[in-house]
Amino acid sequence: MKVLGSLLEAGRIRVYSCDSAAGRLWTDRDASGAHKAWFQNRFDAYVTEELVPAIRQDTGEPGIEIIAAGASLGAFQTLASVCRHPEIFKLGICMSGTYDFGRWMGGAHTLDYHYASPLHFLPHLPEGEQLTRLRSRFLILATGNGDYEAPWESFWVADALGRKGVPNRVDVWEGYRHDWMTWRDMLPQYLEKHA
């Protein structure tokens, strides 16, 4: 929290963090792909039906729009939250994202997976209220190009968003690797600009 200290002290942000039970399950080799995708959708329901109302109650602002941020598997969660619920989330800060979870599905492509994965449901998102709201949101896709990073996945997401007219930007951080120190540098800069 030290890196966000000035923003917290100035009252510009409040920080809420939740455990990523879904993230841990995705990498569990013993769980089936179908169960992982099903659980991902239960996690999404927890965020929207329990966590968001708790945040709004704590802030005293029932209609507050939230900035979502996450790194690695959390970037997927951030992207999914903004794309699925643009009425709640106004901005997504996705850092060092892993977005194609097909590698953990064991060859299955279930309906749960389709609706959990923005790379899969975005191309089929019809014109309507959700897409209209999503076009008024912004997604930052920040990625390093050092060890263990996959910048091409950020560009895949940017292409899927762009084809639907959703504002986004890919920022490649030269020489940064997939590491906590990278995200400690990234997050304060984006919050300073957008919070």
Side-chain angles (χ1 to χ4, degrees):
M1 291 305 232
K2 286 182 183 178
V3 297
L4 301 178
S6 62
L7 292 167
L8 289 163
E9 289 167 15
R12 291 181 57 195
I13 63 170
R14 289 186 187 194
V15 176
Y16 300 87
S17 178
C18 69
D19 185 274
S20 180
R24 282 195 313 275
L25 185 61
W26 276 111
T27 58
D28 181 345
R29 292 183 178 154
D30 295 327
S32 72
H35 180 68
K36 293 173 186 182
W38 172 86
F39 192 84
Q40 175 65 45
N41 288 323
R42 302 300 71 75
F43 180 75
D44 177 77
Y46 158 74
V47 168
T48 57
E49 296 169 17
E50 295 183 45
L51 182 60
V52 167
I55 290 170
R56 287 177 167 170
Q57 182 177 4
D58 185 59
T59 63
E61 298 180 56
I64 191 171
E65 294 179 329
I66 298 168
I67 295 173
S72 192
L73 299 180
F76 172 92
Q77 303 296 348
T78 296
L79 175 68
S81 291
V82 176
C83 290
R84 293 176 79 168
H85 307 286
E87 74 283 4
I88 296 173
F89 299 98
K90 67 178 180 177
L91 171 70
I93 303 172
C94 307
M95 300 171 288
S96 300
T98 296
Y99 304 107
D100 182 3
F101 281 17
R103 70 191 92 175
W104 294 308
M105 284 297 292
H109 187 94
T110 65
L111 199 55
D112 272 324
Y113 179 58
H114 180 85
Y115 288 112
S117 171
L119 278 175
H120 292 91
F121 73 74
L122 268 173
H124 307 286
L125 196 60
E127 292 294 331
E129 185 176 341
Q130 181 181 2
L131 186 54
T132 298
R133 282 189 185 228
L134 187 53
R135 287 174 176 152
S136 72
R137 302 316 190 199
F138 187 58
L139 286 139
I140 298 166
L141 306 163
T143 181
N145 63 358
D147 293 342
Y148 311 110
E149 289 282 58
W152 56 88
E153 290 199 29
S154 294
F155 285 103
W156 291 343
V157 170
D159 182 62
L161 291 165
R163 288 175 185 270
K164 292 307 238 182
V166 179
N168 71 89
R169 183 179 76 232
V170 176
D171 287 344
V172 178
W173 288 56
E174 193 67 36
Y176 279 80
R177 65 193 307 269
H178 200 86
D179 187 89
W180 284 103
M181 299 309 292
T182 294
W183 309 322
R184 285 175 54 118
D185 285 351
M186 288 177 173
L187 186 59
Q189 289 192 33
Y190 292 120
L191 287 176
E192 183 65 44
K193 288 181 184 177
H194 297 282

